[in-house]
Amino acid sequence: MAVEIDPHARETYKRNWGSDPEHDVVTMASERLAEIGDHTVLAGGFPCQPFSKSGRQRGMGEERGQLFHEIVKILAEYRPAVVALENVRNITGPRQKATWQAIVEGLREAGYRVPSEPCIVSPHRLPPHLGGAPQSRERVYILGTYVGRERALHETDVDPVVERIPEQDWSPDRWNLEDLVGTEPSGTSTQYAFTAEEIEWIEVWNDFLRRIGNVKLPSFPMWSSYWEDDATVTAQSPAWKQAYEQKNIDFYASNRASIRGWIEANPRLRTFPKSRQKFEWQAQDSPRDLTKCLLHLRPSGIRVKRMTYTPALVAMAQTPLLGPLGRRMTPKETAQLQGFPDWFTFDHQSDTRSYRQLGNAINVGAAYYAFRKHVLRDADEIREATGGAELVRAVEASPPCPRIPQPD
């Protein structure tokens, strides 16, 4: 069984897997609990919005944040050998300490041995043969083995199954996005090409890079609205913003001639949306040319990175722009970043919906890598559960990055 509240995501699931997900986990865990039946693994990602930095961070204080308790109801009823849950990294952040503690305690009360510290995995820290992908996407994987309530409450000294470091001496800088992209059919460059507005933004900020010369670019966000002779710090701004404002005022003062020349030569800058008048250089020693870099059009500004790995995909219109190819990433390439198999299809669904679904998805390779390590570590106890021996055999026989077969 599966559950998904979004109707378009349900259609994608049904199209690829041949089964129609349930509409509501609350209904499954109450009215239809008996229909679920025995199972060996419960896997799920409860809604991340209550815990995400991009949201209000109300945690379990809002309805979506309480769906974890519905998962616990299913665990308590069926006691599957393994539970594998996923959420955003911020669920373990300083504002969510009570939430994280409630999740850990809830699983232990249900009889699952889980670590107190989060298991944080990102595909860009895994080499290709372990399921890695060129995307920085840190997610928390909550992996537990059923050992009974008494043991779970006492066996708390257990480490996360994956450390928050590159695996097997892999360096994320070895990724090259151009190995992933560029394989789309002809016509792709036209369909996904930069818009006229995007080309204009690139031209103007490329002119800035040319005029600033060899001056070291700051690591803080560059806000051109503060590059004026009479710019001052906004007294009403919070302290963190005042600090950025002052850094921008100081940067302008140190490079006034170059910056004034740039602004006077590009009066169209002030017609750009406010977010496109902001610029963030994170491309280190890459050539100072936006057509050779990866661009991320964020609400906070234009972020520039090397063509190694992308930022985390999100469920908004922030699809990475590929400078060398003059276009944005296609849904197929975005699916590859998430480790989806080649046969996976979105059919004739709009790209907007496909990007949204991919931004909400987990990375397949990262999830399976963490799951596989957990099963192998706890193999002795998992074998004792219903279906556990079969699960362990299957995992032992599988490579770290298995090919996902297409359903018949």
Side-chain angles (χ1 to χ4, degrees), residues 276-297:
R276 304 303 171 242
Q277 296 182 40
K278 299 177 179 179
F279 188 73
E280 194 171 349
W281 181 264
Q282 293 187 2
Q284 287 88 29
D285 55 355
S286 293
R288 293 190 179 187
D289 181 349
L290 302 190
T291 66
K292 300 184 185 304
C293 298
L294 179 74
L295 310 179
H296 205 208
L297 304 181

mmCIF file of all heavy atoms in Angstrom, residues 276-297:
data_model
loop_
_atom_site.group_PDB
_atom_site.id
_atom_site.type_symbol
_atom_site.label_atom_id
_atom_site.label_comp_id
_atom_site.label_asym_id
_atom_site.label_seq_id
_atom_site.Cartn_x
_atom_site.Cartn_y
_atom_site.Cartn_z
ATOM 1 N N ARG A 276 16.552 39.862 -8.616
ATOM 2 C CA ARG A 276 17.564 39.748 -9.686
ATOM 3 C C ARG A 276 18.566 40.891 -9.634
ATOM 4 O O ARG A 276 19.490 40.945 -10.455
ATOM 5 C CB ARG A 276 16.875 39.676 -11.052
ATOM 6 C CG ARG A 276 15.871 38.541 -11.166
ATOM 7 C CD ARG A 276 16.504 37.175 -10.871
ATOM 8 N NE ARG A 276 15.500 36.126 -10.775
ATOM 9 C CZ ARG A 276 15.268 35.406 -9.688
ATOM 10 N NH1 ARG A 276 15.946 35.640 -8.560
ATOM 11 N NH2 ARG A 276 14.360 34.455 -9.683
ATOM 12 N N GLN A 277 18.385 41.793 -8.674
ATOM 13 C CA GLN A 277 19.384 42.827 -8.405
ATOM 14 C C GLN A 277 20.330 42.370 -7.297
ATOM 15 O O GLN A 277 21.190 43.128 -6.851
ATOM 16 C CB GLN A 277 18.700 44.130 -8.010
ATOM 17 C CG GLN A 277 17.837 44.736 -9.112
ATOM 18 C CD GLN A 277 17.217 46.056 -8.714
ATOM 19 O OE1 GLN A 277 17.859 46.892 -8.060
ATOM 20 N NE2 GLN A 277 15.964 46.271 -9.091
ATOM 21 N N LYS A 278 20.154 41.119 -6.885
ATOM 22 C CA LYS A 278 21.009 40.520 -5.856
ATOM 23 C C LYS A 278 21.812 39.387 -6.494
ATOM 24 O O LYS A 278 21.304 38.679 -7.367
ATOM 25 C CB LYS A 278 20.172 39.990 -4.699
ATOM 26 C CG LYS A 278 19.362 41.068 -3.988
ATOM 27 C CD LYS A 278 18.491 40.468 -2.895
ATOM 28 C CE LYS A 278 17.695 41.545 -2.169
ATOM 29 N NZ LYS A 278 16.828 40.955 -1.105
ATOM 30 N N PHE A 279 23.019 39.195 -5.996
ATOM 31 C CA PHE A 279 23.955 38.280 -6.663
ATOM 32 C C PHE A 279 24.802 37.583 -5.608
ATOM 33 O O PHE A 279 25.244 38.199 -4.640
ATOM 34 C CB PHE A 279 24.843 39.101 -7.601
ATOM 35 C CG PHE A 279 25.729 38.314 -8.513
ATOM 36 C CD1 PHE A 279 25.208 37.633 -9.605
ATOM 37 C CD2 PHE A 279 27.104 38.279 -8.301
ATOM 38 C CE1 PHE A 279 26.036 36.929 -10.477
ATOM 39 C CE2 PHE A 279 27.936 37.578 -9.159
ATOM 40 C CZ PHE A 279 27.400 36.900 -10.252
ATOM 41 N N GLU A 280 24.996 36.286 -5.802
ATOM 42 C CA GLU A 280 25.762 35.506 -4.827
ATOM 43 C C GLU A 280 26.749 34.605 -5.577
ATOM 44 O O GLU A 280 26.338 33.684 -6.279
ATOM 45 C CB GLU A 280 24.810 34.673 -3.974
ATOM 46 C CG GLU A 280 25.443 34.091 -2.732
ATOM 47 C CD GLU A 280 24.406 33.449 -1.816
ATOM 48 O OE1 GLU A 280 23.200 33.643 -2.047
ATOM 49 O OE2 GLU A 280 24.836 32.754 -0.876
ATOM 50 N N TRP A 281 28.017 34.889 -5.438
ATOM 51 C CA TRP A 281 29.062 34.124 -6.125
ATOM 52 C C TRP A 281 29.549 32.988 -5.224
ATOM 53 O O TRP A 281 30.186 33.200 -4.212
ATOM 54 C CB TRP A 281 30.235 35.018 -6.506
ATOM 55 C CG TRP A 281 31.334 34.305 -7.234
ATOM 56 C CD1 TRP A 281 32.474 33.779 -6.691
ATOM 57 C CD2 TRP A 281 31.394 34.030 -8.638
ATOM 58 N NE1 TRP A 281 33.249 33.204 -7.664
ATOM 59 C CE2 TRP A 281 32.613 33.326 -8.874
ATOM 60 C CE3 TRP A 281 30.563 34.281 -9.716
ATOM 61 C CZ2 TRP A 281 33.006 32.902 -10.143
ATOM 62 C CZ3 TRP A 281 30.955 33.860 -10.987
ATOM 63 C CH2 TRP A 281 32.155 33.179 -11.184
ATOM 64 N N GLN A 282 29.228 31.746 -5.610
ATOM 65 C CA GLN A 282 29.704 30.567 -4.887
ATOM 66 C C GLN A 282 30.457 29.631 -5.827
ATOM 67 O O GLN A 282 30.540 28.433 -5.577
ATOM 68 C CB GLN A 282 28.524 29.824 -4.250
ATOM 69 C CG GLN A 282 27.833 30.585 -3.129
ATOM 70 C CD GLN A 282 26.787 29.750 -2.418
ATOM 71 O OE1 GLN A 282 26.577 28.582 -2.708
ATOM 72 N NE2 GLN A 282 26.108 30.359 -1.456
ATOM 73 N N ALA A 283 30.999 30.195 -6.895
ATOM 74 C CA ALA A 283 31.660 29.379 -7.914
ATOM 75 C C ALA A 283 33.172 29.295 -7.709
ATOM 76 O O ALA A 283 33.888 28.799 -8.587
ATOM 77 C CB ALA A 283 31.352 29.927 -9.307
ATOM 78 N N GLN A 284 33.639 29.783 -6.567
ATOM 79 C CA GLN A 284 35.057 29.721 -6.219
ATOM 80 C C GLN A 284 35.937 30.191 -7.380
ATOM 81 O O GLN A 284 35.804 31.298 -7.846
ATOM 82 C CB GLN A 284 35.448 28.309 -5.749
ATOM 83 C CG GLN A 284 34.935 27.947 -4.378
ATOM 84 C CD GLN A 284 33.545 27.346 -4.438
ATOM 85 O OE1 GLN A 284 33.168 26.731 -5.428
ATOM 86 N NE2 GLN A 284 32.772 27.501 -3.387
ATOM 87 N N ASP A 285 36.814 29.307 -7.865
ATOM 88 C CA ASP A 285 37.794 29.704 -8.877
ATOM 89 C C ASP A 285 37.329 29.451 -10.311
ATOM 90 O O ASP A 285 38.132 29.435 -11.238
ATOM 91 C CB ASP A 285 39.125 28.970 -8.643
ATOM 92 C CG ASP A 285 38.953 27.453 -8.597
ATOM 93 O OD1 ASP A 285 37.795 26.979 -8.648
ATOM 94 O OD2 ASP A 285 39.971 26.741 -8.511
ATOM 95 N N SER A 286 36.032 29.252 -10.513
ATOM 96 C CA SER A 286 35.515 29.082 -11.871
ATOM 97 C C SER A 286 35.746 30.362 -12.677
ATOM 98 O O SER A 286 35.879 31.451 -12.105
ATOM 99 C CB SER A 286 34.020 28.764 -11.843
ATOM 100 O OG SER A 286 33.789 27.513 -11.262
ATOM 101 N N PRO A 287 35.784 30.255 -13.993
ATOM 102 C CA PRO A 287 35.887 31.468 -14.815
ATOM 103 C C PRO A 287 34.765 32.431 -14.481
ATOM 104 O O PRO A 287 33.623 32.018 -14.260
ATOM 105 C CB PRO A 287 35.752 30.927 -16.253
ATOM 106 C CG PRO A 287 36.171 29.496 -16.168
ATOM 107 C CD PRO A 287 35.738 29.022 -14.812
ATOM 108 N N ARG A 288 35.079 33.707 -14.451
ATOM 109 C CA ARG A 288 34.070 34.698 -14.096
ATOM 110 C C ARG A 288 33.190 34.980 -15.311
ATOM 111 O O ARG A 288 33.219 36.066 -15.902
ATOM 112 C CB ARG A 288 34.726 35.955 -13.553
ATOM 113 C CG ARG A 288 35.428 35.723 -12.219
ATOM 114 C CD ARG A 288 35.857 37.016 -11.576
ATOM 115 N NE ARG A 288 36.501 36.792 -10.295
ATOM 116 C CZ ARG A 288 36.856 37.743 -9.451
ATOM 117 N NH1 ARG A 288 36.599 39.014 -9.756
ATOM 118 N NH2 ARG A 288 37.444 37.456 -8.306
ATOM 119 N N ASP A 289 32.424 33.995 -15.647
ATOM 120 C CA ASP A 289 31.543 34.065 -16.808
ATOM 121 C C ASP A 289 30.328 33.194 -16.499
ATOM 122 O O ASP A 289 30.457 31.976 -16.335
ATOM 123 C CB ASP A 289 32.278 33.554 -18.048
ATOM 124 C CG ASP A 289 31.430 33.626 -19.307
ATOM 125 O OD1 ASP A 289 30.212 33.869 -19.202
ATOM 126 O OD2 ASP A 289 31.984 33.426 -20.403
ATOM 127 N N LEU A 290 29.155 33.806 -16.414
ATOM 128 C CA LEU A 290 27.962 33.068 -16.016
ATOM 129 C C LEU A 290 27.559 32.014 -17.038
ATOM 130 O O LEU A 290 26.839 31.079 -16.700
ATOM 131 C CB LEU A 290 26.792 34.022 -15.769
ATOM 132 C CG LEU A 290 27.023 35.103 -14.699
ATOM 133 C CD1 LEU A 290 25.718 35.818 -14.380
ATOM 134 C CD2 LEU A 290 27.614 34.506 -13.423
ATOM 135 N N THR A 291 28.016 32.157 -18.266
ATOM 136 C CA THR A 291 27.700 31.151 -19.271
ATOM 137 C C THR A 291 28.536 29.889 -19.106
ATOM 138 O O THR A 291 28.366 28.924 -19.845
ATOM 139 C CB THR A 291 27.896 31.701 -20.693
ATOM 140 O OG1 THR A 291 29.284 31.973 -20.911
ATOM 141 C CG2 THR A 291 27.086 32.967 -20.903
ATOM 142 N N LYS A 292 29.433 29.880 -18.137
ATOM 143 C CA LYS A 292 30.244 28.690 -17.849
ATOM 144 C C LYS A 292 29.922 28.102 -16.474
ATOM 145 O O LYS A 292 30.601 27.193 -16.004
ATOM 146 C CB LYS A 292 31.733 29.030 -17.932
ATOM 147 C CG LYS A 292 32.172 29.532 -19.302
ATOM 148 C CD LYS A 292 33.664 29.759 -19.366
ATOM 149 C CE LYS A 292 34.087 30.368 -20.694
ATOM 150 N NZ LYS A 292 33.673 29.565 -21.857
ATOM 151 N N CYS A 293 28.873 28.635 -15.840
ATOM 152 C CA CYS A 293 28.539 28.229 -14.469
ATOM 153 C C CYS A 293 27.103 27.705 -14.373
ATOM 154 O O CYS A 293 26.330 27.768 -15.328
ATOM 155 C CB CYS A 293 28.705 29.415 -13.512
ATOM 156 S SG CYS A 293 30.400 30.070 -13.420
ATOM 157 N N LEU A 294 26.787 27.201 -13.205
ATOM 158 C CA LEU A 294 25.437 26.762 -12.873
ATOM 159 C C LEU A 294 24.749 27.908 -12.149
ATOM 160 O O LEU A 294 25.297 28.477 -11.203
ATOM 161 C CB LEU A 294 25.502 25.530 -11.968
ATOM 162 C CG LEU A 294 24.161 24.943 -11.512
ATOM 163 C CD1 LEU A 294 23.489 24.209 -12.670
ATOM 164 C CD2 LEU A 294 24.367 23.991 -10.331
ATOM 165 N N LEU A 295 23.544 28.247 -12.589
ATOM 166 C CA LEU A 295 22.825 29.378 -12.013
ATOM 167 C C LEU A 295 21.566 28.887 -11.312
ATOM 168 O O LEU A 295 20.859 28.014 -11.826
ATOM 169 C CB LEU A 295 22.440 30.386 -13.099
ATOM 170 C CG LEU A 295 23.556 30.833 -14.046
ATOM 171 C CD1 LEU A 295 23.023 31.808 -15.082
ATOM 172 C CD2 LEU A 295 24.700 31.458 -13.270
ATOM 173 N N HIS A 296 21.301 29.493 -10.171
ATOM 174 C CA HIS A 296 20.113 29.128 -9.392
ATOM 175 C C HIS A 296 19.359 30.417 -9.107
ATOM 176 O O HIS A 296 19.855 31.285 -8.376
ATOM 177 C CB HIS A 296 20.538 28.450 -8.091
ATOM 178 C CG HIS A 296 19.516 27.547 -7.517
ATOM 179 N ND1 HIS A 296 19.410 27.271 -6.173
ATOM 180 C CD2 HIS A 296 18.515 26.834 -8.095
ATOM 181 C CE1 HIS A 296 18.409 26.439 -5.954
ATOM 182 N NE2 HIS A 296 17.851 26.162 -7.100
ATOM 183 N N LEU A 297 18.181 30.576 -9.704
ATOM 184 C CA LEU A 297 17.399 31.799 -9.543
ATOM 185 C C LEU A 297 16.509 31.658 -8.310
ATOM 186 O O LEU A 297 15.423 31.100 -8.358
ATOM 187 C CB LEU A 297 16.568 32.055 -10.801
ATOM 188 C CG LEU A 297 17.369 32.135 -12.108
ATOM 189 C CD1 LEU A 297 16.449 32.421 -13.279
ATOM 190 C CD2 LEU A 297 18.472 33.187 -12.014
#
